Amino acid sequence: MPSHTIAVASDHGGFELKSQLAADLAAGGWKVLDLGTDGPDSVDYPDFAHKVAQALKSGAASRALLVCGTGIGISIAANRYAHVRAALVHDAFGAAMCRRHNDANVLVLGGRTTGIEVARDCLRLFLDTPFEGGRHARRVAQLSEHGER
């Protein structure tokens, strides 16, 4: 069921954290669409952001998790796509707010900057927090309308 499917992907800098969180997701009943990378060898993060963007656009997943060393590069790459709202977060408050006010569909974490317990909290809040809509819906719609893609 796509509404309960989450795509996960990372580069080499995020591989370990992505793998731990993917296991947590599967244990929690989510269908995990793991788009790589599959090991610690150096790879290019834009390729994995692209795979996640494709999975979201096709409906293969309703949300996604991206991880690179800091989360910065992969979030920049992901946000090149008009239908992607990727939020790099560092704490639980940011994870809740990116959903509540921005309807983020991609959570981005830094594999070298975020500990596993903080990452688990962020992921839980990202998945459990609804979008408030209201005045925020107009702004979120503008993100796609103004994008040149």
Side-chain angles (χ1 to χ4, degrees), residues 4-76:
H4 205 60
T5 300
I6 184 167
V8 299
S10 71
D11 72 354
H12 54 283
F15 171 70
E16 185 177 328
L17 183 60
K18 176 207 68 158
S19 298
Q20 290 175 308
L21 294 174
D24 291 348
L25 287 163
W30 282 83
K31 180 179 177 190
V32 178
L33 177 61
D34 192 333
L35 301 173
T37 192
D38 300 321
D41 294 337
S42 183
V43 294
D44 299 325
Y45 61 81
D47 294 336
F48 297 94
H50 179 71
K51 288 179 180 187
V52 160
Q54 287 181 313
L56 291 171
K57 189 167 192 171
S58 73
S62 58
R63 298 227 190 128
L65 167 69
L66 284 171
V67 189
C68 71
T70 62
I72 297 168
I74 209 162
S75 65
I76 292 170

Side-chain angles (χ1 to χ4, degrees), residues 127-147:
L127 295 173
D128 292 346
T129 303
F131 176 50
E132 282 183 4
R135 71 182 192 277
H136 305 293
R138 181 183 76 251
R139 296 170 184 151
V140 169
Q142 289 174 338
L143 295 173
S144 296
E145 291 169 8
H146 296 321

Side-chain angles (χ1 to χ4, degrees), residues 45-131:
Y45 61 81
D47 294 336
F48 297 94
H50 179 71
K51 288 179 180 187
V52 160
Q54 287 181 313
L56 291 171
K57 189 167 192 171
S58 73
S62 58
R63 298 227 190 128
L65 167 69
L66 284 171
V67 189
C68 71
T70 62
I72 297 168
I74 209 162
S75 65
I76 292 170
N79 280 314
R80 301 276 179 175
Y81 300 88
H83 62 283
V84 172
R85 291 175 307 283
L88 171 59
V89 303
H90 302 286
D91 56 36
F93 180 74
M97 293 306 291
C98 80
R99 286 288 309 135
R100 191 172 291 136
H101 287 188
N102 306 112
D103 198 21
N105 56 0
V106 179
L107 175 68
V108 184
L109 298 169
R112 296 178 182 141
T113 61
T114 309
I116 186 63
E117 293 307 320
V118 170
R120 285 178 172 141
D121 286 344
C122 289
L123 183 57
R124 178 184 53 79
L125 284 164
F126 174 76
L127 295 173
D128 292 346
T129 303
F131 176 50

